[in-house]
Amino acid sequence: EPEVTQTPSHQVTQMGQEVILRCVPISNHLYFYWYRQILGQKVEFLVSFYNNEISEKSEIFDDQFSVERPDGSNFTLKIRSTKLEDSAMYFCASSDDSSSGNTIYFGEGSWLTVV
Amino acid sequence: GQSLEQPSEVTAVEGAIVQINCTYQTSGFYGLSWYQQHDGGAPTFLSYNALDGLEETGRFSSFLSRSDSYGYLLLQELQMKDSASYFCAVRKGSARQLTFGSGTQLTVLP
C-alpha cells in the first residue's frame, strides 16, 4: 500500500538553528500538508500546498516556516531559528485531487526536539 | 472559528461496543472525519461523513447529524488493539485542511 514517508524520524536541534524536515508524499497525490502535534495535544494544521504554491495556512505558519517542493517527489518544511516551543511531532500528509479528497494520508512523523 | 468537543477518555472491555461522540461548531461545514492514532504513530483515516446518517466500515461505523452539529464513532466487538486515541476532524468548505478535536483516549480492558 502506498504511504507517505518522512525523514528524519527524530531530530534534536539547538535553539536558533534551522531545521529541514523532508517528506515524500504518495506519488499520485496532488495536495500536500504539514501538521504538527505537541506532546499530549491535538493535531494542528500548519499549511497545505497545491500546484506548487501554498493554498492554505494557519496562524501558526508564520515567517519562521516555509515549504518547498524542490523536485517531483519531495516536499519539505523548513523551520528557521527554532524555538523551544517548536518541539513537536511534525506530520506530513497528502491527498488526491478527487472532488471529495476527504482521505488525508499521514506519514509516521518527524519528532523535533529543540534544546 | 471552529471548535470540536469530544470526551477525553473512554474505557471499555474487550468484545463490547463503544460510542465516541463529537460536537462541532464551524461555519461552512463540509464533512466530519474520524482518525485513529496509536501512541507515537501517524493518524490513520477511519471514516468520513458528509451527509446525515450512518456509514459502516467493518467493525467501525460513523454517524452524522448536520442539524445537531453532532457525530459519533461506533466501535463494535472491541479488541485490545483498538486501544488508541480517536480524533474527530472537520473540513470547512472547499478548503482541504482538517481541524482536529482534542482526541478521545480509548482504553480496552481484557
Side-chain angles (χ1 to χ4, degrees):
Chain A
E1 184 174 330
E3 59 181 15
V4 177
T5 57
Q6 293 185 238
T7 55
S9 56
H10 294 87
Q11 181 156 356
V12 180
T13 190
Q14 287 197 325
M15 194 167 52
Q17 295 298 303
E18 176 181 285
V19 163
I20 297 177
L21 305 178
R22 292 180 168 81
C23 169
V24 179
I26 294 172
S27 61
N28 64 338
H29 285 182
L30 298 179
Y31 290 85
F32 315 126
Y33 313 85
W34 284 100
Y35 285 79
R36 80 171 184 190
Q37 186 176 32
I38 295 170
L39 187 63
Q41 298 186 24
K42 65 181 179 181
V43 178
E44 298 175 293
F45 170 76
L46 293 178
V47 66
S48 62
F49 192 86
Y50 172 74
N51 200 24
N52 287 318
E53 62 183 19
I54 291 173
S55 53
E56 301 152 338
K57 61 181 181 178
S58 71
E59 61 275 11
I60 302 170
F61 193 88
D62 59 20
D63 292 343
Q64 184 193 4
F65 295 89
S66 62
V67 290
E68 190 179 31
R69 187 152 166 83
D71 54 45
S73 60
N74 290 285
F75 180 52
T76 62
L77 175 69
K78 181 187 291 185
I79 309 174
R80 288 180 283 274
S81 188
T82 50
K83 299 175 284 192
L84 295 177
E85 53 265 38
D86 295 327
S87 294
M89 179 75 90
Y90 287 82
F91 291 106
C92 176
S94 67
S95 64
D96 65 24
D97 66 343
S98 65
S99 59
S100 61
N102 297 305
T103 304
I104 295 180
Y105 295 86
F106 286 81
E108 290 295 321
S110 293
W111 182 251
L112 175 65
T113 301
V114 182
V115 297
Chain B
Q2 301 170 72
S3 68
L4 297 97
E5 295 286 335
Q6 53 181 129
S8 58
E9 296 178 342
V10 172
T11 302
V13 297
E14 229 176 342
I17 299 173
V18 72
Q19 179 174 312
I20 299 174
N21 299 319
C22 175
T23 57
Y24 59 87
Q25 284 187 312
T26 183
S27 56
F29 175 82
Y30 198 84
L32 184 70
S33 299
W34 288 93
Y35 282 78
Q36 178 193 62
Q37 186 182 36
H38 286 98
D39 277 349
T44 303
F45 173 80
L46 292 176
S47 189
Y48 174 78
N49 296 73
L51 302 175
D52 287 357
L54 193 68
E55 293 283 342
E56 297 181 74
T57 309
R59 294 188 297 116
F60 294 172
S61 303
S62 59
F63 172 82
L64 176 67
S65 169
R66 294 175 67 112
S67 60
D68 295 322
S69 298
Y70 163 76
Y72 65 72
L73 179 70
L74 191 73
L75 297 87
Q76 303 182 71
E77 301 172 20
L78 282 175
Q79 303 174 8
M80 298 294 289
K81 67 178 182 179
D82 296 330
S83 292
S85 290
Y86 293 83
F87 293 87
C88 57
V90 293
R91 181 181 160 188
K92 177 180 172 181
S94 60
R96 288 179 176 255
Q97 63 170 280
L98 292 175
T99 299
F100 284 80
S102 297
T104 299
Q105 178 66 47
L106 171 64
T107 302
V108 180
L109 302 175

